[in-house]
Amino acid sequence: MTAELDATPPAPADRDKLMTTELVPEQILPKVMSTFGLTAAYVFIICWITGSSVMATGGWTAIPMWILGILTFLIPAGMAVVELGNLWPGQGGVYIWATRTMGETWGFIGGYLSWVPVILNAASSPAVVLSFLLLAFHGEVGVMTSVILQLVILWAVIGLALAKLAANQKIMNVVFVVFGVLALTIFICGVLFAVKNGSATPFSWSEATIPNFAVAGFLYGTVLLYLLGVETPYNMGAEFLSVRKSGPRMILWGSAALVAIYLLTTLGTMMALPSDEIDAVTGVIGMLDVAGFPGLMEAAAIVLALIIVVALMTYQVAYSRLIFVSGLERHLPRIFTHLNPRTRNPVSAILIQGVISSLILVGLYSQSSLVNTTIFLQGGLSTVWLISGFFFLFPVIIARKKYADRYENETFWRIPGGMVGVWITVIVGTVGTVGGIYYSFAKSWLESAGVGDAEWMKWVGTISLGMVALGVVVYFFGRRSAHKVSQEDALAHLAVFELDKDSEETAK
């Protein structure tokens, strides 16, 4: 024992004291997320198949860009979050990891930057759903009608998110299989079209193997946008059946499915349509109009619209947990810790997400075209969300040093190769993240639509700064309001859930 103490410095007395968010959710939230369900959730959170439309507009250089993004971001991020998720398998994910390694204030910042994309995504994605429905029914609507329909879609999603997590998981599991079938259909139709007519986007070995940053550097920022969200399922850590078993499998299988869907749909779209004729939103389904049989495009557009609705539901569910955690840790008032007695969902958190997204949607869509505003919001989303990556990359290095005793005495998955492997992972991930921030903020994704870099930076910068300003307001006023109530009083209303849970288990 003396030798052990000499080899490993004793941990500070309060270092391993459980945070409220590590203790309370474990006692009151049901563990329902299976490995398959987590894999489906992971794909829905990260995989936005419309990204294949955007990437396909860049021609064959999209393929090496996808590969580069996977190597420099998806793989490093995946390894980092699995290690941290195994070290601290609690509700809140990046908030816990950053707090444990960098302190409470940095924990809030990391959690906020990881949460705020749900607001931007929920404000922009109803427009994508509407675009596919209009494509399916060959319709057009005015700006006012468009905004109203998008609000209807958004609040339909909110309604679904308020259901029990177990029920939502069943929906995810079924639609996940449909998602895979749709991706395979797009690829097969593209291949059959190319075999008969030749590739609509002329193939070039150099473009297909070498990423061209001079011509299509913006695609790298786009790639990273569509690979973001690796850490998000860990927001629901207390609801995993087993974090240490399911977490690594979720990242491995989910990433494999993610990569397959993106590559298959990008290739299928390019083979069926010339790059300059691909719509940046609906192109991935529009290609079926020329490569599929009559009626296939319309049916596929409706199916994809429903898939995106389920993906948005998954977003609302996963990200609402961060608001719930902020309430538990008294960064937000007690109301945000309110759980529905029947579903055990954080109702207030889900509703506030919907309200903020609705305000952004109405404010922005009244001033620009549907497609341009969608892309502007995605640029802002990418810039802010990428910054949050530093809060699960750097903590791995800090954790290895600060919690060396746990690494020595506990068995769980960690990045292979010791500290050398950790440094390689963090450096590669950091370089990729910085590159993604630059190409998301400084290079226009709408140059083909006449939007130059200056206008692009104005819009993306304004959206990003608006999200930062919201964070400052939330931090100072939310914390001041929350601390007017003692920790015990703030959590008293949750005691009944623990009693209910004990009663249910006794009844079983």
Side-chain angles (χ1 to χ4, degrees):
M1 178 65 71
T2 304
E4 282 185 8
L5 293 176
D6 290 340
T8 305
D14 62 344
R15 190 202 66 176
D16 292 321
K17 181 181 178 182
L18 288 177
M19 298 164 59
T20 304
T21 188
E22 293 176 290
L23 180 63
V24 174
E26 287 286 341
Q27 298 179 33
I28 63 176
L29 296 178
K31 292 184 178 294
V32 298
M33 297 297 287
S34 64
T35 299
F36 187 83
L38 284 166
T39 301
Y42 177 90
V43 171
F44 283 127
I45 288 168
I46 302 175
C47 187
W48 292 87
I49 197 172
T50 52
S52 297
S53 300
V54 177
M55 294 300 294
T57 63
W60 286 93
T61 194
I63 302 305
M65 287 293 190
W66 272 126
I67 294 172
L68 190 62
I70 291 164
L71 294 176
T72 61
F73 184 79
L74 183 64
I75 292 176
M79 291 196 295
V81 301
V82 169
E83 177 167 323
L84 293 171
N86 278 309
L87 190 60
W88 294 294
Q91 194 86 345
V94 68
Y95 173 81
I96 296 177
W97 309 335
T99 299
R100 286 293 193 186
T101 55
M102 305 167 76
E104 187 178 358
T105 300
W106 287 110
F108 171 82
I109 294 172
Y112 175 78
L113 291 174
S114 182
W115 168 78
V116 76
V118 71
I119 299 300
L120 298 177
N121 198 42
S124 62
S125 292
V128 178
V129 175
L130 182 58
S131 294
F132 283 112
L133 292 176
L134 293 175
L135 178 67
F137 295 102
H138 303 282
E140 293 184 4
V141 295
V143 173
M144 181 62 69
T145 303
S146 171
V147 171
I148 293 172
L149 290 174
Q150 287 175 58
L151 288 172
V152 170
I153 292 168
L154 173 60
W155 284 95
V157 167
I158 298 297
L160 288 172
L162 290 171
K164 284 185 177 181
L165 182 57
N168 285 332
Q169 184 181 21
K170 291 178 181 178
I171 295 173
M172 294 177 208
N173 292 351
V174 173
V175 178
F176 177 51
V177 175
V178 175
F179 201 177
V181 172
L182 177 62
L184 193 59
T185 299
I186 292 169
F187 177 70
I188 291 173
C189 287
V191 170
L192 293 176
F193 180 89
V195 168
K196 183 177 180 180
N197 305 288
S199 176
T201 300
F203 179 77
S204 166
W205 274 109
S206 61
E207 289 184 2
T209 54
I210 303 173
N212 190 339
F213 282 92
V215 175
F218 76 94
L219 288 178
Y220 184 72
T222 308
V223 163
L224 264 59
L225 166 62
Y226 293 112
L227 294 176
L228 283 163
V230 180
E231 80 287 359
T232 304
Y234 284 95
N235 293 347
M236 303 181 288
E239 295 162 275
F240 286 25
L241 287 174
S242 173
V243 175
R244 289 193 170 182
K245 289 183 179 179
S246 296
R249 295 172 185 172
M250 170 189 70
I251 298 294
L252 177 61
W253 297 346
S255 296
L258 175 76
V259 170
I261 290 171
Y262 274 143
L263 292 180
L264 290 176
T265 52
T266 302
L267 288 167
T269 303
M270 289 192 300
M271 287 188 284
L273 294 173
S275 58
D276 59 353
E277 295 180 13
I278 298 172
D279 185 281
V281 175
T282 61
V284 72
I285 295 297
M287 56 81 66
L288 294 173
D289 193 34
V290 298
F293 53 81
L296 179 60
M297 180 193 73
E298 289 78 4
I302 294 173
V303 168
L304 184 53
L306 293 175
I307 289 172
I308 296 173
V309 166
V310 173
L312 281 170
M313 175 195 74
T314 308
Y315 255 73
Q316 294 297 324
V317 169
Y319 283 97
S320 65
R321 273 55 180 174
L322 280 176
I323 297 183
F324 177 64
V325 164
S326 291
L328 291 178
E329 295 295 330
R330 297 203 296 166
H331 287 292
L332 291 174
R334 165 181 163 170
I335 189 174
F336 293 105
T337 63
H338 174 68
L339 293 176
N340 181 291
R342 185 179 62 84
T343 64
R344 303 211 175 186
N345 257 333
V347 177
S348 302
I350 293 173
L351 292 177
I352 193 64
Q353 288 178 167
V355 170
I356 297 174
S357 295
S358 297
L359 294 174
I360 294 174
L361 190 156
V362 172
L364 290 179
Y365 278 94
S366 62
Q367 302 178 39
S368 183
S369 74
L370 184 145
V371 173
N372 281 12
T373 301
T374 300
I375 305 300
F376 284 137
L377 282 172
Q378 289 179 344
L381 185 157
S382 181
T383 301
V384 174
W385 203 352
L386 278 166
I387 295 173
S388 73
F390 297 125
F391 293 88
F392 58 75
L393 288 171
F394 295 160
V396 180
I397 295 174
I398 301 171
R400 288 278 183 132
K401 296 179 179 179
K402 189 174 180 180
Y403 296 86
D405 56 309
R406 291 194 58 189
Y407 280 90
E408 183 174 335
N409 299 320
E410 297 180 28
T411 301
F412 56 86
W413 192 95
R414 74 276 309 271
I415 296 170
M419 283 305 297
V420 173
V422 169
W423 277 106
I424 291 174
T425 299
V426 173
I427 290 172
V428 171
T430 299
V431 171
T433 299
V434 171
I437 293 171
Y438 171 76
Y439 282 107
S440 295
F441 174 71
K443 294 297 179 182
S444 174
W445 295 2
L446 288 167
E447 191 171 351
S448 60
V451 178
D453 291 345
E455 184 179 358
W456 173 261
M457 285 189 285
K458 180 189 75 174
W459 274 94
V460 172
T462 300
I463 292 169
S464 300
L465 288 174
M467 293 300 100
V468 171
L470 175 62
V472 172
V473 171
V474 169
Y475 183 78
F476 286 104
F477 290 95
R479 193 168 179 80
R480 181 196 300 179
S481 176
H483 277 69
K484 291 179 179 179
V485 180
S486 69
Q487 182 77 10
E488 291 75 17
D489 290 341
L491 299 178
H493 68 294
L494 294 174
V496 65
F497 289 99
E498 186 176 356
L499 292 174
D500 289 345
K501 184 178 179 182
D502 291 341
S503 299
E504 291 171 6
E505 291 177 351
T506 302
K508 292 178 182 179

